[in-house]
Amino acid sequence: MGKPKVVLGVSGGIAAYKACELLRLLTESGHEVRVVPTAASLNFVGEATWAALSGNPASTEVWETVHEVPHVRIGQSADLVVVAPATADMLAKAAHGLADDLLTNTLLTARCPVVFAPAMHTEMWEHPATQENVATLRRRGALVIEPAVGRLTGKDTGKGRLPDPAEIYEVCRRVLARGVGEQDLAGRHVVISAGGTREPLDPVRFLGNRSSGKQGYALARTAVARGARVTLVAANTALADPAGADVVRVGTAVQLREAVLEAAADADVVVMAAAVADFRPAEYAGGKIKKKDGQDPAPVALVRNPDVLAEISADRARDGQVVVGFAAETDDVLANGRAKLLRKGCDLLVVNEVGEARTFGSEENEAVILASEGSEIQVPYGPKETLAEAIWDQVAVRLQP
Ligand code: CTP
């Protein structure tokens, strides 16, 4: 089999320079990339850069090499088209089927998955015209990644930034692996908690745990690639924001509960992948706790934290909401998992065995997905992404039409 063929469409926004890195990631991982820039985008990055980095000509118009019928051939032979950045103008043209240059012609002839990574000012993104165009494109099966929140071209900040190129690359990779017509989470809102909570003792110390957040982030990435709107409630993680996810940062279990409940109000799915502290110090010392010569330290009194998973499962914000929990166990893994599934009242419980060198912080995971109706799916040791996909497969069959 030849290399997967990717068309990288670049439209005229300042974020065009970030597409150079996306191109590099695609070519270095074995994709044959044809860059199709719009004429406006050449104001930001020139044709020579695209040709040199891709090893292919980069034309903007349909009038070059006409004998090769490029306006039809490039789209027809692509395995994936990704437009990054996609400007408001490009989204409008794509939504209305205009075809006045090579990229818009390519979008009309492509029968493969199409990913748009919009980047523009917040006002343009939020304009009803843009939002309707995005909705049209999504309805037709395109994957339009939500822009990131952050610094924009000028001094302003807001929603509209192009996500990190490495994260756009991850979306492309997932979409290429799954193929067209596989966006089984399209139109669904999924809420994922990730990371580990920290319960402060004093201004410099906390009770925490070893969760890195990688499994929750893998769930977020894969859900975006399957078409979901994703809210990621991240507790103390140090990972890059997944492209397309709305990231809400929290510290403690109480903050996590608040953020998850708020996002869950209109969610189709809630996945509690975070390691939530069961206890917190009964008292918070406003100043640093000092040692005193000749005295033993005072014991730390703890109080219970709310159980977010049990609460969400018992009191579903929506009919048919699917709730997924995780269980980290060191002994009697399956028996403890079954008991926990019953106790928490969720639909699925992902049970993994943990130990010093297993699961926490690693790139790989192994688990059993227990379902409330009794089924048991074994997911062999492998990338956290593979486990994430297996979880979404189980969620997707439980979602109401
Ligand atoms: N969880 C939660 N709120 C808590 C504790 C845990 O929502 N206060 C969620 C976790 O996000 C996870 C699941 O519950 O999805 C199981 O977490 P785990 O720590 O394994 O279970 P515990 O309830 O702490 O049970 P035990 O301490 O008996 O193992």
mmCIF file of all heavy atoms in Angstrom, residues 167-207:
data_model
loop_
_atom_site.group_PDB
_atom_site.id
_atom_site.type_symbol
_atom_site.label_atom_id
_atom_site.label_comp_id
_atom_site.label_asym_id
_atom_site.label_seq_id
_atom_site.Cartn_x
_atom_site.Cartn_y
_atom_site.Cartn_z
ATOM 1 N N GLU A 167 -1.582 18.863 17.909
ATOM 2 C CA GLU A 167 -2.896 18.347 18.282
ATOM 3 C C GLU A 167 -3.805 18.227 17.052
ATOM 4 O O GLU A 167 -4.625 17.317 16.981
ATOM 5 C CB GLU A 167 -3.530 19.228 19.367
ATOM 6 C CG GLU A 167 -2.782 19.166 20.692
ATOM 7 C CD GLU A 167 -2.783 17.766 21.310
ATOM 8 O OE1 GLU A 167 -3.770 17.044 21.175
ATOM 9 O OE2 GLU A 167 -1.752 17.403 21.923
ATOM 10 N N ILE A 168 -3.646 19.132 16.079
ATOM 11 C CA ILE A 168 -4.409 18.985 14.825
ATOM 12 C C ILE A 168 -3.938 17.717 14.104
ATOM 13 O O ILE A 168 -4.729 16.945 13.561
ATOM 14 C CB ILE A 168 -4.239 20.216 13.901
ATOM 15 C CG1 ILE A 168 -4.695 21.485 14.614
ATOM 16 C CG2 ILE A 168 -5.013 20.032 12.593
ATOM 17 C CD1 ILE A 168 -4.449 22.755 13.820
ATOM 18 N N TYR A 169 -2.638 17.512 14.170
ATOM 19 C CA TYR A 169 -2.074 16.292 13.559
ATOM 20 C C TYR A 169 -2.696 15.032 14.187
ATOM 21 O O TYR A 169 -3.051 14.084 13.481
ATOM 22 C CB TYR A 169 -0.546 16.301 13.732
ATOM 23 C CG TYR A 169 0.085 14.972 13.476
ATOM 24 C CD1 TYR A 169 0.182 14.458 12.184
ATOM 25 C CD2 TYR A 169 0.572 14.191 14.527
ATOM 26 C CE1 TYR A 169 0.727 13.208 11.954
ATOM 27 C CE2 TYR A 169 1.117 12.945 14.304
ATOM 28 C CZ TYR A 169 1.193 12.458 13.018
ATOM 29 O OH TYR A 169 1.731 11.219 12.794
ATOM 30 N N GLU A 170 -2.846 15.061 15.517
ATOM 31 C CA GLU A 170 -3.452 13.905 16.209
ATOM 32 C C GLU A 170 -4.872 13.648 15.698
ATOM 33 O O GLU A 170 -5.277 12.505 15.508
ATOM 34 C CB GLU A 170 -3.494 14.137 17.730
ATOM 35 C CG GLU A 170 -2.147 13.993 18.417
ATOM 36 C CD GLU A 170 -1.556 12.604 18.261
ATOM 37 O OE1 GLU A 170 -2.321 11.624 18.229
ATOM 38 O OE2 GLU A 170 -0.327 12.500 18.137
ATOM 39 N N VAL A 171 -5.636 14.727 15.490
ATOM 40 C CA VAL A 171 -6.997 14.569 14.976
ATOM 41 C C VAL A 171 -6.940 13.927 13.584
ATOM 42 O O VAL A 171 -7.665 12.973 13.294
ATOM 43 C CB VAL A 171 -7.739 15.934 14.913
ATOM 44 C CG1 VAL A 171 -9.093 15.781 14.233
ATOM 45 C CG2 VAL A 171 -7.912 16.526 16.310
ATOM 46 N N CYS A 172 -6.037 14.434 12.733
ATOM 47 C CA CYS A 172 -5.914 13.886 11.363
ATOM 48 C C CYS A 172 -5.574 12.395 11.417
ATOM 49 O O CYS A 172 -6.131 11.591 10.666
ATOM 50 C CB CYS A 172 -4.814 14.617 10.588
ATOM 51 S SG CYS A 172 -5.198 16.337 10.292
ATOM 52 N N ARG A 173 -4.641 12.071 12.284
ATOM 53 C CA ARG A 173 -4.208 10.677 12.403
ATOM 54 C C ARG A 173 -5.385 9.777 12.802
ATOM 55 O O ARG A 173 -5.590 8.708 12.249
ATOM 56 C CB ARG A 173 -3.114 10.605 13.486
ATOM 57 C CG ARG A 173 -2.072 9.546 13.270
ATOM 58 C CD ARG A 173 -0.904 9.736 14.217
ATOM 59 N NE ARG A 173 -1.293 9.781 15.613
ATOM 60 C CZ ARG A 173 -1.567 8.702 16.353
ATOM 61 N NH1 ARG A 173 -1.518 7.504 15.836
ATOM 62 N NH2 ARG A 173 -1.904 8.846 17.625
ATOM 63 N N ARG A 174 -6.170 10.230 13.781
ATOM 64 C CA ARG A 174 -7.314 9.434 14.240
ATOM 65 C C ARG A 174 -8.358 9.306 13.125
ATOM 66 O O ARG A 174 -8.933 8.252 12.907
ATOM 67 C CB ARG A 174 -7.988 10.047 15.468
ATOM 68 C CG ARG A 174 -7.179 10.173 16.726
ATOM 69 C CD ARG A 174 -6.409 8.948 17.097
ATOM 70 N NE ARG A 174 -7.206 7.726 17.169
ATOM 71 C CZ ARG A 174 -6.697 6.502 17.131
ATOM 72 N NH1 ARG A 174 -5.407 6.320 16.982
ATOM 73 N NH2 ARG A 174 -7.463 5.454 17.239
ATOM 74 N N VAL A 175 -8.618 10.429 12.425
ATOM 75 C CA VAL A 175 -9.640 10.400 11.372
ATOM 76 C C VAL A 175 -9.190 9.476 10.237
ATOM 77 O O VAL A 175 -9.966 8.676 9.721
ATOM 78 C CB VAL A 175 -9.936 11.831 10.849
ATOM 79 C CG1 VAL A 175 -10.837 11.787 9.632
ATOM 80 C CG2 VAL A 175 -10.589 12.671 11.947
ATOM 81 N N LEU A 176 -7.913 9.543 9.882
ATOM 82 C CA LEU A 176 -7.395 8.664 8.828
ATOM 83 C C LEU A 176 -7.516 7.201 9.239
ATOM 84 O O LEU A 176 -7.849 6.339 8.418
ATOM 85 C CB LEU A 176 -5.922 8.977 8.573
ATOM 86 C CG LEU A 176 -5.626 9.920 7.415
ATOM 87 C CD1 LEU A 176 -4.154 10.298 7.415
ATOM 88 C CD2 LEU A 176 -6.008 9.311 6.068
ATOM 89 N N ALA A 177 -7.271 6.932 10.521
ATOM 90 C CA ALA A 177 -7.334 5.543 10.990
ATOM 91 C C ALA A 177 -8.766 5.013 10.974
ATOM 92 O O ALA A 177 -9.004 3.844 10.718
ATOM 93 C CB ALA A 177 -6.746 5.445 12.399
ATOM 94 N N ARG A 178 -9.725 5.886 11.239
ATOM 95 C CA ARG A 178 -11.112 5.412 11.352
ATOM 96 C C ARG A 178 -11.896 5.481 10.051
ATOM 97 O O ARG A 178 -12.849 4.736 9.856
ATOM 98 C CB ARG A 178 -11.856 6.224 12.412
ATOM 99 C CG ARG A 178 -11.426 5.880 13.823
ATOM 100 C CD ARG A 178 -12.228 6.676 14.817
ATOM 101 N NE ARG A 178 -13.651 6.445 14.702
ATOM 102 C CZ ARG A 178 -14.290 5.396 15.187
ATOM 103 N NH1 ARG A 178 -13.626 4.479 15.823
ATOM 104 N NH2 ARG A 178 -15.588 5.268 15.043
ATOM 105 N N GLY A 179 -11.508 6.435 9.176
ATOM 106 C CA GLY A 179 -12.174 6.497 7.874
ATOM 107 C C GLY A 179 -13.442 7.320 7.856
ATOM 108 O O GLY A 179 -13.895 7.817 8.880
ATOM 109 N N VAL A 180 -14.005 7.423 6.665
ATOM 110 C CA VAL A 180 -15.155 8.299 6.443
ATOM 111 C C VAL A 180 -16.422 7.680 7.046
ATOM 112 O O VAL A 180 -16.551 6.472 7.175
ATOM 113 C CB VAL A 180 -15.301 8.564 4.920
ATOM 114 C CG1 VAL A 180 -15.850 7.373 4.182
ATOM 115 C CG2 VAL A 180 -16.101 9.806 4.650
ATOM 116 N N GLY A 181 -17.343 8.519 7.425
ATOM 117 C CA GLY A 181 -18.644 8.037 7.901
ATOM 118 C C GLY A 181 -18.603 7.413 9.272
ATOM 119 O O GLY A 181 -19.512 6.712 9.678
ATOM 120 N N GLU A 182 -17.534 7.647 10.006
ATOM 121 C CA GLU A 182 -17.384 6.982 11.293
ATOM 122 C C GLU A 182 -17.537 7.958 12.456
ATOM 123 O O GLU A 182 -17.071 7.702 13.542
ATOM 124 C CB GLU A 182 -16.003 6.314 11.374
ATOM 125 C CG GLU A 182 -15.820 5.196 10.393
ATOM 126 C CD GLU A 182 -16.632 3.961 10.749
ATOM 127 O OE1 GLU A 182 -16.810 3.695 11.931
ATOM 128 O OE2 GLU A 182 -17.101 3.293 9.820
ATOM 129 N N GLN A 183 -18.163 9.091 12.219
ATOM 130 C CA GLN A 183 -18.293 10.062 13.308
ATOM 131 C C GLN A 183 -19.527 9.771 14.158
ATOM 132 O O GLN A 183 -20.514 10.495 14.112
ATOM 133 C CB GLN A 183 -18.334 11.470 12.732
ATOM 134 C CG GLN A 183 -16.963 11.930 12.307
ATOM 135 C CD GLN A 183 -17.019 13.337 11.817
ATOM 136 O OE1 GLN A 183 -17.643 14.191 12.424
ATOM 137 N NE2 GLN A 183 -16.393 13.584 10.698
ATOM 138 N N ASP A 184 -19.422 8.677 14.918
ATOM 139 C CA ASP A 184 -20.598 8.238 15.658
ATOM 140 C C ASP A 184 -20.904 9.085 16.889
ATOM 141 O O ASP A 184 -21.890 8.858 17.571
ATOM 142 C CB ASP A 184 -20.475 6.759 16.031
ATOM 143 C CG ASP A 184 -19.139 6.424 16.669
ATOM 144 O OD1 ASP A 184 -18.327 7.332 16.882
ATOM 145 O OD2 ASP A 184 -18.916 5.232 16.964
ATOM 146 N N LEU A 185 -20.048 10.079 17.183
ATOM 147 C CA LEU A 185 -20.359 10.973 18.306
ATOM 148 C C LEU A 185 -20.733 12.376 17.799
ATOM 149 O O LEU A 185 -20.820 13.316 18.589
ATOM 150 C CB LEU A 185 -19.174 11.051 19.278
ATOM 151 C CG LEU A 185 -18.758 9.730 19.950
ATOM 152 C CD1 LEU A 185 -17.546 9.943 20.856
ATOM 153 C CD2 LEU A 185 -19.909 9.129 20.757
ATOM 154 N N ALA A 186 -20.965 12.506 16.497
ATOM 155 C CA ALA A 186 -21.316 13.820 15.940
ATOM 156 C C ALA A 186 -22.593 14.342 16.595
ATOM 157 O O ALA A 186 -23.547 13.585 16.795
ATOM 158 C CB ALA A 186 -21.493 13.717 14.435
ATOM 159 N N GLY A 187 -22.574 15.607 16.953
ATOM 160 C CA GLY A 187 -23.751 16.224 17.561
ATOM 161 C C GLY A 187 -23.912 15.904 19.045
ATOM 162 O O GLY A 187 -24.856 16.352 19.682
ATOM 163 N N ARG A 188 -22.999 15.131 19.611
ATOM 164 C CA ARG A 188 -23.090 14.771 21.033
ATOM 165 C C ARG A 188 -22.156 15.650 21.854
ATOM 166 O O ARG A 188 -21.059 15.985 21.414
ATOM 167 C CB ARG A 188 -22.671 13.306 21.241
ATOM 168 C CG ARG A 188 -23.408 12.322 20.372
ATOM 169 C CD ARG A 188 -24.842 12.190 20.787
ATOM 170 N NE ARG A 188 -25.515 11.099 20.088
ATOM 171 C CZ ARG A 188 -26.725 10.667 20.409
ATOM 172 N NH1 ARG A 188 -27.399 11.236 21.390
ATOM 173 N NH2 ARG A 188 -27.272 9.676 19.734
ATOM 174 N N HIS A 189 -22.602 15.972 23.063
ATOM 175 C CA HIS A 189 -21.720 16.692 23.980
ATOM 176 C C HIS A 189 -21.184 15.695 24.998
ATOM 177 O O HIS A 189 -21.964 15.050 25.696
ATOM 178 C CB HIS A 189 -22.513 17.809 24.687
ATOM 179 C CG HIS A 189 -21.688 18.592 25.667
ATOM 180 N ND1 HIS A 189 -22.224 19.289 26.713
ATOM 181 C CD2 HIS A 189 -20.346 18.787 25.755
ATOM 182 C CE1 HIS A 189 -21.251 19.875 27.415
ATOM 183 N NE2 HIS A 189 -20.107 19.586 26.852
ATOM 184 N N VAL A 190 -19.876 15.561 25.057
ATOM 185 C CA VAL A 190 -19.304 14.655 26.043
ATOM 186 C C VAL A 190 -18.440 15.434 27.030
ATOM 187 O O VAL A 190 -17.741 16.367 26.662
ATOM 188 C CB VAL A 190 -18.508 13.475 25.411
ATOM 189 C CG1 VAL A 190 -19.293 12.810 24.303
ATOM 190 C CG2 VAL A 190 -17.168 13.917 24.883
ATOM 191 N N VAL A 191 -18.568 15.041 28.296
ATOM 192 C CA VAL A 191 -17.802 15.685 29.367
ATOM 193 C C VAL A 191 -16.839 14.647 29.918
ATOM 194 O O VAL A 191 -17.250 13.522 30.230
ATOM 195 C CB VAL A 191 -18.751 16.183 30.481
ATOM 196 C CG1 VAL A 191 -17.963 16.801 31.625
ATOM 197 C CG2 VAL A 191 -19.751 17.178 29.917
ATOM 198 N N ILE A 192 -15.581 15.031 29.994
ATOM 199 C CA ILE A 192 -14.564 14.087 30.470
ATOM 200 C C ILE A 192 -13.785 14.755 31.605
ATOM 201 O O ILE A 192 -13.329 15.894 31.438
ATOM 202 C CB ILE A 192 -13.578 13.736 29.328
ATOM 203 C CG1 ILE A 192 -14.322 13.111 28.144
ATOM 204 C CG2 ILE A 192 -12.470 12.811 29.826
ATOM 205 C CD1 ILE A 192 -13.598 13.242 26.817
ATOM 206 N N SER A 193 -13.648 14.078 32.727
ATOM 207 C CA SER A 193 -12.756 14.617 33.759
ATOM 208 C C SER A 193 -11.435 13.871 33.665
ATOM 209 O O SER A 193 -11.398 12.681 33.339
ATOM 210 C CB SER A 193 -13.370 14.481 35.153
ATOM 211 O OG SER A 193 -13.383 13.126 35.560
ATOM 212 N N ALA A 194 -10.338 14.589 33.900
ATOM 213 C CA ALA A 194 -9.008 13.983 33.739
ATOM 214 C C ALA A 194 -8.050 14.530 34.789
ATOM 215 O O ALA A 194 -8.268 15.607 35.329
ATOM 216 C CB ALA A 194 -8.468 14.297 32.345
ATOM 217 N N GLY A 195 -6.986 13.778 35.034
ATOM 218 C CA GLY A 195 -5.965 14.247 35.980
ATOM 219 C C GLY A 195 -6.268 13.807 37.393
ATOM 220 O O GLY A 195 -7.057 12.888 37.621
ATOM 221 N N GLY A 196 -5.647 14.458 38.335
ATOM 222 C CA GLY A 196 -5.830 14.092 39.739
ATOM 223 C C GLY A 196 -6.047 15.342 40.572
ATOM 224 O O GLY A 196 -5.385 16.366 40.353
ATOM 225 N N THR A 197 -6.980 15.266 41.512
ATOM 226 C CA THR A 197 -7.249 16.462 42.329
ATOM 227 C C THR A 197 -6.156 16.620 43.396
ATOM 228 O O THR A 197 -5.482 15.665 43.774
ATOM 229 C CB THR A 197 -8.618 16.379 43.010
ATOM 230 O OG1 THR A 197 -8.632 15.243 43.865
ATOM 231 C CG2 THR A 197 -9.734 16.274 41.991
ATOM 232 N N ARG A 198 -6.013 17.853 43.861
ATOM 233 C CA ARG A 198 -5.071 18.170 44.942
ATOM 234 C C ARG A 198 -5.831 18.890 46.039
ATOM 235 O O ARG A 198 -6.528 19.875 45.768
ATOM 236 C CB ARG A 198 -3.969 19.096 44.434
ATOM 237 C CG ARG A 198 -3.041 18.411 43.487
ATOM 238 C CD ARG A 198 -1.998 19.383 42.996
ATOM 239 N NE ARG A 198 -1.090 18.712 42.089
ATOM 240 C CZ ARG A 198 -0.097 19.315 41.457
ATOM 241 N NH1 ARG A 198 0.105 20.608 41.632
ATOM 242 N NH2 ARG A 198 0.688 18.627 40.659
ATOM 243 N N GLU A 199 -5.669 18.390 47.248
ATOM 244 C CA GLU A 199 -6.412 18.941 48.380
ATOM 245 C C GLU A 199 -5.429 19.680 49.278
ATOM 246 O O GLU A 199 -4.594 19.069 49.934
ATOM 247 C CB GLU A 199 -7.097 17.798 49.139
ATOM 248 C CG GLU A 199 -7.906 16.859 48.242
ATOM 249 C CD GLU A 199 -9.048 17.554 47.516
ATOM 250 O OE1 GLU A 199 -9.671 18.454 48.096
ATOM 251 O OE2 GLU A 199 -9.325 17.200 46.338
ATOM 252 N N PRO A 200 -5.489 20.998 49.313
ATOM 253 C CA PRO A 200 -4.462 21.761 50.017
ATOM 254 C C PRO A 200 -4.514 21.613 51.542
ATOM 255 O O PRO A 200 -5.582 21.576 52.136
ATOM 256 C CB PRO A 200 -4.744 23.214 49.607
ATOM 257 C CG PRO A 200 -6.112 23.219 49.079
ATOM 258 C CD PRO A 200 -6.457 21.850 48.613
ATOM 259 N N LEU A 201 -3.320 21.512 52.106
ATOM 260 C CA LEU A 201 -3.151 21.458 53.566
ATOM 261 C C LEU A 201 -2.816 22.854 54.091
ATOM 262 O O LEU A 201 -3.282 23.278 55.130
ATOM 263 C CB LEU A 201 -1.946 20.568 53.881
ATOM 264 C CG LEU A 201 -2.136 19.124 54.244
ATOM 265 C CD1 LEU A 201 -0.786 18.420 54.272
ATOM 266 C CD2 LEU A 201 -2.807 19.000 55.602
ATOM 267 N N ASP A 202 -1.937 23.503 53.360
ATOM 268 C CA ASP A 202 -1.509 24.865 53.675
ATOM 269 C C ASP A 202 -1.090 25.489 52.339
ATOM 270 O O ASP A 202 -1.214 24.846 51.294
ATOM 271 C CB ASP A 202 -0.414 24.846 54.769
ATOM 272 C CG ASP A 202 0.919 24.283 54.298
ATOM 273 O OD1 ASP A 202 1.119 24.140 53.074
ATOM 274 O OD2 ASP A 202 1.786 23.974 55.143
ATOM 275 N N PRO A 203 -0.617 26.732 52.314
ATOM 276 C CA PRO A 203 -0.333 27.347 51.002
ATOM 277 C C PRO A 203 0.718 26.626 50.158
ATOM 278 O O PRO A 203 0.803 26.861 48.952
ATOM 279 C CB PRO A 203 0.147 28.758 51.373
ATOM 280 C CG PRO A 203 -0.411 29.012 52.732
ATOM 281 C CD PRO A 203 -0.457 27.691 53.427
ATOM 282 N N VAL A 204 1.532 25.738 50.768
ATOM 283 C CA VAL A 204 2.559 25.087 49.949
ATOM 284 C C VAL A 204 2.381 23.574 49.811
ATOM 285 O O VAL A 204 3.058 22.952 49.015
ATOM 286 C CB VAL A 204 3.988 25.370 50.490
ATOM 287 C CG1 VAL A 204 4.369 26.812 50.291
ATOM 288 C CG2 VAL A 204 4.121 24.975 51.945
ATOM 289 N N ARG A 205 1.471 22.970 50.574
ATOM 290 C CA ARG A 205 1.371 21.504 50.539
ATOM 291 C C ARG A 205 -0.040 21.049 50.183
ATOM 292 O O ARG A 205 -1.007 21.748 50.455
ATOM 293 C CB ARG A 205 1.751 20.928 51.892
ATOM 294 C CG ARG A 205 3.132 21.351 52.357
ATOM 295 C CD ARG A 205 3.417 20.706 53.690
ATOM 296 N NE ARG A 205 4.718 21.062 54.210
ATOM 297 C CZ ARG A 205 4.930 22.056 55.073
ATOM 298 N NH1 ARG A 205 3.931 22.802 55.501
ATOM 299 N NH2 ARG A 205 6.147 22.303 55.504
ATOM 300 N N PHE A 206 -0.074 19.852 49.603
ATOM 301 C CA PHE A 206 -1.393 19.295 49.269
ATOM 302 C C PHE A 206 -1.367 17.784 49.378
ATOM 303 O O PHE A 206 -0.292 17.177 49.381
ATOM 304 C CB PHE A 206 -1.809 19.718 47.851
ATOM 305 C CG PHE A 206 -0.834 19.300 46.776
ATOM 306 C CD1 PHE A 206 -0.835 17.997 46.266
ATOM 307 C CD2 PHE A 206 0.081 20.209 46.259
ATOM 308 C CE1 PHE A 206 0.075 17.605 45.297
ATOM 309 C CE2 PHE A 206 0.998 19.828 45.280
ATOM 310 C CZ PHE A 206 0.984 18.528 44.795
ATOM 311 N N LEU A 207 -2.550 17.179 49.458
ATOM 312 C CA LEU A 207 -2.667 15.730 49.319
ATOM 313 C C LEU A 207 -3.054 15.486 47.870
ATOM 314 O O LEU A 207 -4.058 16.036 47.400
ATOM 315 C CB LEU A 207 -3.769 15.168 50.226
ATOM 316 C CG LEU A 207 -3.607 15.356 51.731
ATOM 317 C CD1 LEU A 207 -4.785 14.717 52.467
ATOM 318 C CD2 LEU A 207 -2.302 14.711 52.207
#
